[in-house]
Coordinates of all heavy atoms in Angstrom, one line a residue:
Chain B
I101 N -19.0 -0.5 9.0 CA -18.6 -1.8 8.4 C -17.6 -2.5 9.3 O -17.8 -3.7 9.6 CB -17.9 -1.6 7.0 CG1 -18.9 -1.0 6.0 CG2 -17.3 -2.9 6.5 CD1 -18.3 -0.5 4.7
T102 N -16.6 -1.7 9.8 CA -15.6 -2.3 10.6 C -16.2 -2.8 11.9 O -16.0 -4.0 12.3 CB -14.5 -1.2 11.0 OG1 -14.2 -0.5 9.8 CG2 -13.3 -1.9 11.5
G103 N -17.1 -2.0 12.5 CA -17.8 -2.3 13.7 C -18.7 -3.8 13.5 O -18.6 -4.6 14.3
L104 N -19.3 -3.7 12.4 CA -20.3 -4.9 12.1 C -19.5 -6.1 12.0 O -19.8 -7.2 12.6 CB -21.1 -4.6 11.0 CG -22.3 -3.6 11.1 CD1 -22.9 -3.3 9.8 CD2 -23.4 -4.3 12.0
I105 N -18.4 -6.1 11.3 CA -17.6 -7.3 11.0 C -16.9 -7.8 12.3 O -16.9 -8.9 12.6 CB -16.5 -7.1 9.9 CG1 -17.2 -6.8 8.6 CG2 -15.6 -8.4 9.7 CD1 -17.9 -7.8 7.9
L106 N -16.5 -6.8 13.1 CA -15.9 -7.2 14.4 C -16.9 -7.8 15.3 O -16.7 -8.7 16.0 CB -15.3 -5.9 15.1 CG -13.9 -5.5 14.4 CD1 -13.4 -4.2 15.0 CD2 -12.8 -6.6 14.6
L107 N -18.1 -7.2 15.3 CA -19.3 -7.8 16.1 C -19.4 -9.2 15.7 O -19.7 -10.0 16.4 CB -20.5 -6.9 15.8 CG -21.8 -7.3 16.5 CD1 -21.6 -7.1 18.0 CD2 -23.0 -6.6 16.0
N108 N -19.4 -9.5 14.3 CA -19.6 -10.7 13.9 C -18.6 -11.8 14.4 O -18.9 -12.9 14.8 CB -19.6 -10.8 12.3 CG -20.4 -11.9 11.7 OD1 -21.2 -12.5 12.4 ND2 -20.2 -12.2 10.4
V109 N -17.3 -11.3 14.4 CA -16.2 -12.2 14.8 C -16.4 -12.5 16.3 O -16.3 -13.7 16.7 CB -14.8 -11.4 14.7 CG1 -13.7 -12.3 15.4 CG2 -14.5 -11.2 13.2
V110 N -16.8 -11.5 17.1 CA -16.9 -11.7 18.6 C -18.2 -12.6 18.8 O -18.0 -13.5 19.6 CB -17.2 -10.3 19.2 CG1 -17.5 -10.5 20.7 CG2 -15.9 -9.4 19.1
T111 N -19.2 -12.3 18.2 CA -20.4 -13.1 18.5 C -20.3 -14.5 18.1 O -20.8 -15.4 18.6 CB -21.8 -12.4 17.9 OG1 -21.5 -12.3 16.5 CG2 -22.2 -11.2 18.6
R112 N -19.6 -14.7 16.9 CA -19.5 -16.1 16.4 C -18.5 -16.8 17.4 O -18.7 -18.0 17.6 CB -19.0 -16.0 15.0 CG -19.5 -17.3 14.3 CD -19.0 -17.4 12.9 NE -17.5 -17.4 13.0 CZ -16.7 -17.3 11.9 NH1 -17.3 -17.1 10.7 NH2 -15.3 -17.4 12.0
A113 N -17.4 -16.1 17.8 CA -16.5 -16.8 18.7 C -17.2 -17.2 20.1 O -16.9 -18.2 20.6 CB -15.3 -15.8 19.0
A114 N -18.2 -16.4 20.3 CA -19.0 -16.7 21.6 C -20.1 -17.7 21.3 O -20.9 -18.0 22.2 CB -19.5 -15.3 22.2
G115 N -20.1 -18.2 20.1 CA -21.1 -19.2 19.7 C -22.5 -18.7 19.6 O -23.5 -19.4 19.8
N116 N -22.6 -17.4 19.3 CA -23.9 -16.8 19.3 C -24.0 -15.8 18.2 O -24.3 -14.6 18.4 CB -24.2 -16.1 20.7 CG -25.6 -15.8 21.0 OD1 -26.5 -16.2 20.2 ND2 -25.9 -15.1 22.0
A117 N -23.7 -16.3 17.0 CA -23.6 -15.3 15.9 C -24.9 -14.6 15.6 O -26.1 -15.2 15.7 CB -23.2 -16.1 14.6
I118 N -24.8 -13.4 15.2 CA -26.1 -12.6 14.8 C -26.3 -12.7 13.3 O -25.4 -12.4 12.6 CB -26.0 -11.2 15.2 CG1 -25.6 -11.0 16.7 CG2 -27.3 -10.3 14.9 CD1 -25.2 -9.6 17.1
Y119 N -27.4 -13.1 12.8 CA -27.6 -13.6 11.5 C -27.6 -12.5 10.5 O -27.3 -12.5 9.4 CB -28.9 -14.5 11.4 CG -30.2 -13.8 11.7 CD1 -30.9 -13.1 10.8 CD2 -30.6 -13.7 13.1 CE1 -32.0 -12.4 11.1 CE2 -31.7 -13.1 13.4 CZ -32.5 -12.4 12.5 OH -33.6 -11.7 12.8
W120 N -28.1 -11.2 10.9 CA -28.3 -10.2 10.0 C -27.0 -9.3 9.7 O -27.0 -8.4 8.9 CB -29.4 -9.3 10.4 CG -29.4 -8.8 11.8 CD1 -29.9 -9.3 12.9 CD2 -28.6 -7.7 12.3 NE1 -29.7 -8.6 14.0 CE2 -28.8 -7.6 13.7 CE3 -27.8 -6.7 11.7 CZ2 -28.3 -6.6 14.5 CZ3 -27.2 -5.8 12.5 CH2 -27.4 -5.7 13.9
V121 N -25.9 -9.6 10.5 CA -24.8 -8.7 10.4 C -24.1 -8.7 9.1 O -23.8 -7.5 8.6 CB -23.7 -9.1 11.6 CG1 -22.4 -8.3 11.4 CG2 -24.3 -8.7 12.9
D122 N -23.9 -9.8 8.4 CA -23.2 -9.8 7.1 C -24.0 -9.0 6.1 O -23.3 -8.2 5.4 CB -23.1 -11.2 6.8 CG -21.9 -11.9 7.4 OD1 -21.0 -11.2 8.0 OD2 -21.8 -13.2 7.3
E123 N -25.2 -9.2 6.1 CA -26.0 -8.5 5.1 C -25.9 -7.0 5.3 O -25.8 -6.2 4.4 CB -27.5 -9.0 5.0 CG -28.1 -8.6 3.7 CD -29.6 -9.1 3.7 OE1 -30.2 -9.4 4.6 OE2 -30.1 -9.0 2.5
A124 N -26.1 -6.6 6.6 CA -26.1 -5.2 6.9 C -24.7 -4.6 6.5 O -24.6 -3.5 6.0 CB -26.3 -5.0 8.4
A125 N -23.6 -5.3 6.8 CA -22.3 -4.8 6.4 C -22.1 -4.7 4.9 O -21.6 -3.6 4.4 CB -21.2 -5.8 6.9
I126 N -22.6 -5.6 4.2 CA -22.6 -5.5 2.7 C -23.3 -4.2 2.2 O -22.8 -3.4 1.4 CB -23.1 -6.7 2.0 CG1 -22.2 -7.9 2.3 CG2 -23.3 -6.6 0.5 CD1 -22.8 -9.3 1.9
Y127 N -24.5 -4.0 2.7 CA -25.4 -2.8 2.3 C -24.6 -1.5 2.7 O -24.6 -0.6 1.9 CB -26.7 -2.9 2.8 CG -27.5 -4.0 2.2 CD1 -28.6 -4.7 2.9 CD2 -27.3 -4.4 0.9 CE1 -29.3 -5.7 2.4 CE2 -28.0 -5.5 0.4 CZ -29.0 -6.1 1.1 OH -29.7 -7.1 0.5
A128 N -24.0 -1.6 3.9 CA -23.2 -0.4 4.4 C -22.1 -0.1 3.4 O -21.9 1.0 3.0 CB -22.7 -0.6 5.7
M129 N -21.5 -1.2 2.9 CA -20.4 -1.0 1.9 C -20.9 -0.4 0.6 O -20.3 0.5 0.1 CB -19.6 -2.3 1.7 CG -18.6 -2.2 0.6 SD -18.0 -3.9 0.2 CE -19.4 -4.6 -0.6
V130 N -22.0 -1.0 0.1 CA -22.5 -0.5 -1.1 C -22.9 1.0 -1.0 O -22.6 1.8 -2.0 CB -23.8 -1.3 -1.6 CG1 -24.3 -0.8 -2.8 CG2 -23.4 -2.8 -1.7
W131 N -23.6 1.4 0.1 CA -24.0 2.8 0.3 C -22.7 3.6 0.3 O -22.7 4.7 -0.3 CB -24.8 2.9 1.5 CG -26.3 2.7 1.3 CD1 -26.9 1.6 0.9 CD2 -27.2 3.7 1.4 NE1 -28.2 1.8 0.8 CE2 -28.5 3.2 1.0 CE3 -27.3 5.1 1.6 CZ2 -29.7 3.8 1.0 CZ3 -28.5 5.8 1.6 CH2 -29.7 5.1 1.3
M132 N -21.7 3.2 1.1 CA -20.5 4.0 1.2 C -19.8 4.2 -0.2 O -19.5 5.3 -0.6 CB -19.4 3.2 2.1 CG -18.1 3.8 2.1 SD -16.9 2.7 2.8 CE -16.6 1.6 1.3
S133 N -19.8 3.1 -1.0 CA -19.2 3.2 -2.3 C -19.9 4.2 -3.2 O -19.2 5.0 -3.9 CB -19.1 1.9 -3.0 OG -18.5 1.0 -2.1
F134 N -21.2 4.1 -3.2 CA -22.0 5.0 -4.2 C -21.9 6.4 -3.7 O -21.8 7.4 -4.6 CB -23.4 4.5 -4.4 CG -23.3 3.4 -5.4 CD1 -23.6 2.0 -4.9 CD2 -23.2 3.5 -6.7 CE1 -23.5 0.9 -5.7 CE2 -23.2 2.4 -7.6 CZ -23.4 1.1 -7.1
L135 N -22.0 6.7 -2.4 CA -22.0 8.0 -1.9 C -20.6 8.7 -2.2 O -20.5 9.8 -2.7 CB -22.2 8.1 -0.4 CG -23.7 7.7 0.0 CD1 -23.8 7.7 1.5 CD2 -24.7 8.8 -0.6
A136 N -19.5 7.9 -2.0 CA -18.3 8.5 -2.2 C -17.9 8.6 -3.6 O -17.2 9.5 -4.1 CB -17.2 7.7 -1.5

Side-chain angles (χ1 to χ4, degrees):
Chain B
I101 293 168
T102 318
L104 284 168
I105 299 293
L106 284 173
L107 179 69
N108 207 17
V109 175
V110 173
T111 51
R112 211 187 54 192
N116 196 7
I118 306 173
Y119 60 93
W120 51 263
V121 169
D122 279 347
E123 199 184 12
I126 291 171
Y127 292 149
M129 173 188 70
V130 179
W131 271 69
M132 173 196 81
S133 306
F134 282 105
L135 290 174

